C-alpha cells in the first residue's frame, strides 16, 4: 500500500500507570478504504478513534496522518488538522439544538472560513445528494433520531475530509435506521472515495467495511 492516509505504529495508550487500554496497535489505512473495527464495550474503540482523530495522544508509538507524524503536534495544529481534514460521526446526537439541519451542516465550513452563500449552497447540495433536502429547515427536535444522525453524518462529510471517523454511529438507532445510516456512510466511501474508519460493538456492522479488524485485549487482529 503506498501513501496510507493514516498509519499507526505500535501505539500504546494508558490512562493510569499500570493499566494499558491499547497495547501495541499497528494499522495502515489506505486512501479510499473503509475499515471496520469491532470490539466489546470497554475494549478501547473510542480510545483508538480519539488517537486517530487527534483528540488525544498515544502514551507511546506513532500516529501518522497524511504522511506526517501527528503523535505530538501542538494542540493548535491538531485543531487545524481536525477542522480541515477530519470528519467525525459520534454515538450520540451531536447536532446543535437551536439551529436547523442546514445550519448545522454549515458549521464545519464556517469553521474553515467558507463564506455564507457558498456555505449554504454546499450544505443544500449535500442534503440533496443524499436525499435529505426535506430536512433542511428542521430543528433537531423536529427530526427522528435516525434523521438527526443522517444530518450529523452529512455534516461530517460536507468539508470532504480526508478521513471520516465513526464511533458506534448506529448505537442509538433501531435496525432500519441503522441500515440507512450505514448505507449513507458506505455511499460516502463508494461514491466520493472518502476513507472511513468505523468502530462498532457488532462484527456484522463492522463488515460494512472492506477491511475488518477485531479489537481485543488491547490489540488488533484481522476480523
Ligand atoms: N478519559 C479516560 N480516563 C480514564 N479511563 C478511560 C478514559 N477513557 C476511557 N477510559 C477507560 O479505557 C477503557 C476503554 O474505554 P473506551 O475506549 O471508551 O472503550 P470502548 O469505546 O470500546 O467502549 C475503559 O476501561 C474505560 O473505562
Ligand atoms: Mg466507545
Amino acid at each position: 500500500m503506498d501513501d496510507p492516509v493514516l498509519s499507526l505504529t505500535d501505539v500504546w495508550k494508558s490512562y493510569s500507570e499500570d493499566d494499558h487500554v491499547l497495547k501495541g496497535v499497528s494499522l495502515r489505512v489506505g486512501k479510499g478504504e473503509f475499515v471496520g473495527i469491532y470490539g466489546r464495550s470497554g475494549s478501547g474503540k473510542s480510545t483508538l478513534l480519539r488517537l486517530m482523530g487527534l483528540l488525544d495522544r498515544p502514551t507511546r508509538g506513532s500516529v501518522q496522518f497524511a504522511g506526517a507524524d501527528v503523535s505530538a503536534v501542538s494542540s493548535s495544529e491538531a485543531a487545524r488538522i481536525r477542522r480541515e481534514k477530519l470528519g467525525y460521526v459520534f454515538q450520540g446526537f451531536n447536532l446543535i439544538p437551536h439551529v436547523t439541519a442546514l445550519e448545522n451542516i454549515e458549521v464545519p465550513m464556517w469553521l474553515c472560513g467558507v463564506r455564507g452563500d457558498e456555505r449554504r449552497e454546499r450544505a443544500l447540495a449535500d442534503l440533496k445528494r443524499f436525499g435529505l433536502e426535506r430536512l433542511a429547515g428542521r430543528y433537531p427536535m423536529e427530526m427522528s433520531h435516525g434523521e438527526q444522525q443522517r444530518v450529523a453524518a452529512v455534516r461530517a462529510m460536507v468539508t470532504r475530509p480526508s478521513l471520516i471517523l465513526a464511533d458506534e454511529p448506529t448505537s442509538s438507532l433501531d435496525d432500519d435506521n441503522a441500515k440507512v445510516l450505514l448505507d449513507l456512510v458506505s455511499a460516502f466511501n463508494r461514491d466520493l472515495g472518502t476513507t472511513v474508519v468505523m468502530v462498532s460493538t457488532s462484527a456484522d456492522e463492522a463488515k460494512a467495511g472492506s477491511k475488518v479488524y477485531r479489537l481485543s485485549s488491547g490489540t488488533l487482529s484481522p476480523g
Side-chain angles (χ1 to χ4, degrees):
M1 185 199 302
D2 39 34
D3 296 341
V5 172
L6 178 75
S7 126
L8 274 62
T9 310
D10 196 23
V11 163
W12 291 64
K13 179 69 185 177
S14 62
Y15 294 104
S16 62
E17 292 259 312
D18 49 358
D19 191 17
H20 285 89
V21 177
L22 301 178
K23 302 175 184 174
V25 169
S26 297
L27 173 71
R28 285 158 70 85
V29 181
K31 197 168 179 330
E33 279 184 354
F34 183 165
V35 171
I37 298 172
Y38 66 97
R40 290 187 153 145
S41 180
S43 60
K45 301 181 298 300
S46 295
T47 297
L48 183 59
L49 274 203
R50 281 200 299 272
L51 297 177
M52 292 178 175
L54 278 62
L55 291 163
D56 201 356
R57 293 174 179 187
T59 309
R60 73 184 146 94
S62 91
V63 178
Q64 302 238 338
F65 180 71
D69 192 334
V70 291
S71 326
V73 289
S74 67
S75 53
S76 62
E77 176 65 2
R80 188 189 64 78
I81 296 170
R82 285 200 301 272
R83 202 165 55 228
E84 295 177 1
K85 311 266 181 176
L86 292 164
Y88 300 87
V89 187
F90 296 103
Q91 200 165 352
F93 305 106
N94 292 281
L95 297 181
I96 301 168
H98 55 275
V99 305
T100 63
L102 189 67
E103 289 160 342
N104 264 283
I105 295 170
E106 287 184 53
V107 168
M109 291 186 280
W110 178 74
L111 293 172
C112 287
V114 180
R115 65 191 165 78
D117 42 356
E118 185 186 340
R119 268 196 329 253
R120 191 139 293 217
E121 266 167 39
R122 284 169 57 182
L124 203 51
D126 267 8
L127 277 171
K128 278 187 192 158
R129 176 195 281 266
F130 298 109
L132 300 170
E133 193 185 357
R134 69 196 165 76
L135 301 177
R138 302 245 200 116
Y139 289 87
M141 61 176 279
E142 299 170 342
M143 293 184 274
S144 71
H145 285 172
E147 289 168 340
Q148 287 183 48
Q149 196 64 327
R150 298 200 274 284
V151 169
V154 171
R155 182 178 63 178
M157 188 58 202
V158 75
T159 55
R160 298 298 182 267
S162 314
L163 176 64
I164 290 252
L165 298 167
D167 191 347
E168 298 191 45
T170 68
S171 64
S172 47
L173 305 179
D174 60 39
D175 289 352
D176 290 347
N177 278 300
K179 183 173 184 313
V180 175
L181 200 272
L182 283 181
D183 287 348
L184 185 58
V185 174
S186 298
F188 294 163
N189 174 252
R190 190 189 54 236
D191 301 342
L192 299 170
T194 311
T195 311
V196 178
V197 177
M198 181 179 75
V199 301
S200 172
T201 51
S202 153
D204 275 348
E205 191 163 298
K207 283 175 189 151
S210 47
K211 279 197 183 160
V212 184
Y213 299 89
R214 185 165 83 109
L215 180 60
S216 166
S217 307
T219 60
L220 276 185
S221 49

